[in-house]
Structures are given as structure tokens and as C-alpha cells.
Amino acid sequence: MNNEAKRDPSSVETQVKILVEDLKSHSADTQRNATAELRLLARYDMDNRIVIENCGAIGLLVNLLYSNDPETQENAVTALLNLSINNNKNKSAIVDAGAIEPLIHVLENGGSEAKANSAATIYSLSLLEENKIKIGSSGAVGPLVDLLGNGTPRGKKDAITALFNLSIHHENKARIVQYGAVRYLIELMDPAVGMVDKAVAVLTNLATIPEGRNAIGEEGGIPLLVEVVELGSAKGKENAAAALLRLSTNSGRFCNMVLQEGVVPPLVALSQSGTPRTREKAQALLSYLRNQQHENA
């Protein structure tokens, strides 16, 4: 526990009030130091997060997302990320302060750490259902997909987590597909990258719409999904089976591709040894594929 961050509430409040005044300063150094202090105070302590919000810091931190000083910008976005964690009141306050557009600005123009933390903040804010819609319709999807394809490993991880959350809301699915996310998600199904489960989870959500299924089939996703059914984690297997079921039942061509990839033996194994939910999905896909084979014969 950081000693700076754990003090009695009245002294923290006094300190935060001074820092909030410093955020308004015309001195770049003063702003930079104040954002760094607030970032630290918000990091470790739930009570500090409440104090910082009560003292009116959020709107000022949001404005500083447009700062020309890279360090101030990074501190401001990280402070907002820390303030949003496990605190729904702060999540709402951050969105109400107009943070979405400035967060997108950081996603597009920030340094690599600031970009990753902006994506992580968008993820955190999107845990509130109403924010999934606001964020999706505000233009965040394109820059998140860009970070997914071209970011640092940490940036990609934060982007995929944010996109997963956004992909839960139906209206966001088509946007995610339109911005070309499927190709990047399929690239991230390389086990060496360590993001297979997350990539499969997003693809499974996107497989509920025709554009998503087409993109997965056309971009070479089927062999990789079959590989996950055979070799993936328990969660990966369940999601991959669900995605393949959606692909197969909606397209004869994709169904044949799934069969040609030799999915039946690993599905049989999964239908006998997976979790109850995984077994159910594996059995549904097996019986559908067997019916198709029977009809073809």
C-alpha cells in the first residue's frame, strides 16, 4: 500500500482541493504534477476516488485529455481510469462530463501508454449498460479496432477487452465488423500471442449477425475456430463451438468448410467431456452436421 495514498480523509480532502486548483493552473509543470498526484491517489483507495469526484476533479481531468503535454495527457487518462474502477457513480460522472469524445482523441493521438489506458477506460465505462450504446455510437469503434490491429501488446489487450464489451450490445456488432475487426481478431488467435480466448469471445458475439459470419468465413476464421475446439481452454472451446454452430446453421458453404476441417472427432470428445454448457453446444453442432451429411448423402 502506498503511504501517499492512505491518509485520514480530511487531510486527503485538503490535498485534493489544492490539486484541483492546480489543474486549473496555466503552468504546464503545475498541471503535470497535479495530474500525477491525482493518478496516484485514485489508484489505491476507494475512499480517495469518492473524495476526488466530490472535489470536482473529473471535468478538469476530462479537459486535460486534450493537453499538448504527453505526460499530462497520460496522467489525466490514467487518473480517470483509476477513478472509474469499481465505482458506478464515477463512471456516470465521467461520461456526463463529456469524456467519450476526448477519450477517442487520446485513442487516436496519444502515446502508446495513453492509448492503452484510454481503451481500458472505455472498457471500464462500458460496464454500465447505457454506456455501451453511447460509446458505440460516438465513434470509438474505429480507433479501438485500429489499436487492436496496430497497438502495442498491452494496447491490443485493452482494445479487445473494450470491443468485447461493446460487442455485447447488438447495435455495435455491425460497426465492429465494418471497421475490419474480424481480420485482426483472427490474427490474434495465434496461441503465441496469448489472446485466443478473448478473440474467440468477440468473434462468437459477431457471429450472431450475417456480416460477422461472412467476415469470419471469408477471412479464414473457420480452421482456427476448429483448432480451438480441439486444443483451446474450456471457455475457448465453448465459445468456438457456439461460433461454429452459428456459422454452420446459417450457411451451407460454411457448414461444408467446418466439416472439411475435421471438426467431428474433437466435437465428439467435447460432447462427452466438456462443461454442461459446452457439451450442449457441441451436441447441437454435431447433430446439425450429421443431419447435413445425411441429407448430402
Side-chain angles (χ1 to χ4, degrees), residues 129 132-134 136 164-176 205:
E129 203 52 45
K132 286 184 177 67
I133 303 164
K134 283 181 189 165
F164 169 73
N165 241 17
L166 294 176
S167 74
I168 293 167
H169 182 68
H170 189 72
E171 280 171 31
N172 290 330
K173 291 173 185 173
R175 289 189 189 105
I176 293 170
N205 286 346

Side-chain angles (χ1 to χ4, degrees), residues 76-87:
V77 75
T78 312
L80 289 167
L81 170 60
N82 293 342
L83 287 168
S84 73
I85 293 167
N86 298 331
N87 188 320

Side-chain angles (χ1 to χ4, degrees), residues 13 58 60 62-63 75 88 114 119 130 145 149 159 184 219-220 225 229 237 247 257 276 284 289 292:
E13 192 172 344
I58 285 177
L60 296 164
V62 167
N63 291 341
N75 288 337
N88 286 348
E130 65 270 20
V145 170
Y184 296 138
E219 296 282 358
L225 287 167
V229 168
K237 286 177 176 182
L247 285 157
M257 286 165 74
L289 293 173
Q292 293 307 106

Side-chain angles (χ1 to χ4, degrees), residues 232-252:
S233 70
K235 193 71 196 156
K237 286 177 176 182
E238 182 190 326
N239 280 330
L244 289 170
L245 181 62
R246 285 165 186 162
L247 285 157
S248 300
T249 52
N250 285 285
S251 159

Side-chain angles (χ1 to χ4, degrees), residues 6-182:
K6 194 78 182 166
R7 301 213 196 96
D8 80 90
S10 59
S11 79
V12 170
E13 192 172 344
T14 308
Q15 186 193 4
V16 169
K17 282 178 174 166
I18 294 165
L19 292 171
V20 167
E21 287 310 306
D22 286 350
L23 293 179
K24 302 173 190 171
S25 165
H26 294 299
S27 152
D29 286 343
T30 305
Q31 282 187 334
R32 192 183 309 115
N33 293 336
T35 52
E37 285 284 315
L38 287 166
R39 168 183 180 166
L40 200 60
L41 282 167
R43 181 175 176 181
Y44 294 104
D45 191 277
M46 199 68 199
D47 295 334
N48 289 355
R49 290 173 200 155
I50 295 165
V51 171
I52 292 167
E53 194 268 328
N54 287 343
C55 290
I58 285 177
L60 296 164
L61 288 167
V62 167
N63 291 341
L64 288 170
L65 295 176
Y66 288 113
S67 171
N68 293 323
D69 181 81
E71 217 176 307
T72 300
Q73 185 186 58
E74 186 190 308
N75 288 337
V77 75
T78 312
L80 289 167
L81 170 60
N82 293 342
L83 287 168
S84 73
I85 293 167
N86 298 331
N87 188 320
N88 286 348
K89 183 170 180 271
N90 281 359
K91 283 182 176 64
S92 296
I94 291 166
V95 172
D96 292 345
I100 296 172
E101 212 169 290
L103 283 168
I104 294 169
H105 168 79
V106 177
L107 266 185
E108 292 176 322
N109 304 291
S112 60
E113 185 78 6
K115 282 182 176 180
N117 285 345
S118 178
T121 308
I122 288 170
Y123 161 73
S124 177
L125 299 177
S126 72
L127 290 167
L128 290 187
E129 203 52 45
E130 65 270 20
N131 289 344
K132 286 184 177 67
I133 303 164
K134 283 181 189 165
I135 292 166
S137 60
S138 67
V141 170
L144 283 170
V145 170
D146 189 54
L147 188 63
L148 182 73
N150 306 302
T152 60
R154 161 84 208 288
K156 289 180 185 205
K157 220 161 246 183
D158 287 316
I160 204 169
T161 314
L163 286 165
F164 169 73
N165 241 17
L166 294 176
S167 74
I168 293 167
H169 182 68
H170 189 72
E171 280 171 31
N172 290 330
K173 291 173 185 173
R175 289 189 189 105
I176 293 170
V177 174
Q178 281 155 9
Y179 278 105
V182 170

Side-chain angles (χ1 to χ4, degrees), residues 157 187-196 227:
K157 220 161 246 183
E187 284 171 9
L188 292 171
M189 286 174 70
D190 174 356
V193 181
M195 289 166 66
V196 175
E227 196 174 296

